[in-house]
Amino acid sequence: MKPSRILLVAFLAIAALYFLLPVYWLVVASTKSTAKLFGSFGLWFSDPHWLHNLSQVFSYDSGIFWKWTLNSILYAGVGGALATLLAGAAGFALAVYRFRGREAVFKAVLAGVLLPTTALALPMYLLFSKVGLANTQWAVLIPGMVSPFGVYLCRIYAEAAVPAEVLEAARVDGAGEWRIFSTVVLRMMTPALVTVFLFQFVGIWNNYFLPLVMLSDDTKYPITLGLTAWQSAADRHPELYQLTVGGAFVSILPLAAAMLVLQRYWRSGLTQGSVKG
């Protein structure tokens, strides 16, 4: 084996260990009691009670963790799906149709990609307060339906993957623009759309600052904000340390499942849209 290949394999192994070690610790820690969490070796099991700990997570405080989980699924699932659909439609329109101000719109989209989302949290809170949507699920769901990066990716992909000849043939056959988009274009853009959904789902699921600004009712919290609330109260209620660890373990399962199921679309969506057929 060449020295360069050995170095590459060693680097990848170290990188994999770096990223997987916290996950391994989380799996081990989720099996321990609060006493064992601080009084035993952190990287190995000690009197594991995994199912008991998980049942405590879901039953504590009248099962509020269930509400947080359902809220996260709503925010990330519905928000991600709608953001993907809107990004696909906008990207396709910017790629195919010629209209005045098209490039100006695309530059505004690029500006949205570069703008930190945290910088928009306070203006959005003031806006939602004006219309009476602050401290509602809409205040988290609506911003999640917008993905400037998704629009950018879908435009680039549509320019490469949607032949003009196919669109013209569909129009000759009498198909309208919406039918063309819903039956032909969406299928051809599947890799890009899955990629947008994955990025948006993960981004919304892990989002902490926007719900923190928008929500004051803990029954509307997503998992991220709920676990932070538990951690903040752990000094007064030590059992919350273990519940926070167990909840964090549960919170990564949907992300891991999404990555495993969608990874082949994710890889192809990142590469195919930048290559002309």
Side-chain angles (χ1 to χ4, degrees), residues 56-65 67-68 218 230 243:
Q56 291 293 106
V57 169
F58 285 101
S59 62
Y60 182 81
D61 195 13
S62 302
I64 195 169
F65 190 82
K67 297 179 182 178
W68 296 343
D218 62 353
W230 275 359
L243 297 183

Side-chain angles (χ1 to χ4, degrees), residues 63-139:
I64 195 169
F65 190 82
W66 281 111
K67 297 179 182 178
W68 296 343
T69 303
L70 293 176
N71 289 337
S72 288
I73 293 174
L74 171 67
Y75 300 146
V78 177
L82 292 176
T84 301
L85 181 61
L86 293 174
F92 171 70
L94 290 170
V96 172
Y97 301 119
R98 302 292 185 266
F99 54 89
R100 185 184 299 273
R102 184 181 70 153
E103 292 305 317
V105 172
F106 187 61
K107 289 178 182 178
V109 171
L110 291 178
V113 174
L114 300 175
L115 192 64
T117 55
T118 53
L120 300 176
L122 183 57
M124 283 193 294
Y125 173 77
L126 297 175
L127 176 62
F128 282 119
S129 296
K130 286 289 185 180
V131 297
L133 292 180
N135 196 32
T136 68
Q137 292 176 323
W138 290 107

Side-chain angles (χ1 to χ4, degrees), residues 10 26 32 40 53 84-85 87 108-109 112 127 137 185 189-190 206 210 216 220 226-227 267:
L26 189 61
K32 299 181 179 182
S40 64
N53 291 344
T84 301
L85 181 61
V109 171
L127 176 62
Q137 292 176 323
V185 174
M189 293 180 61
T190 296
N206 291 329
L210 180 65
S216 57
K220 299 181 177 67
L227 292 179
R267 289 196 299 266

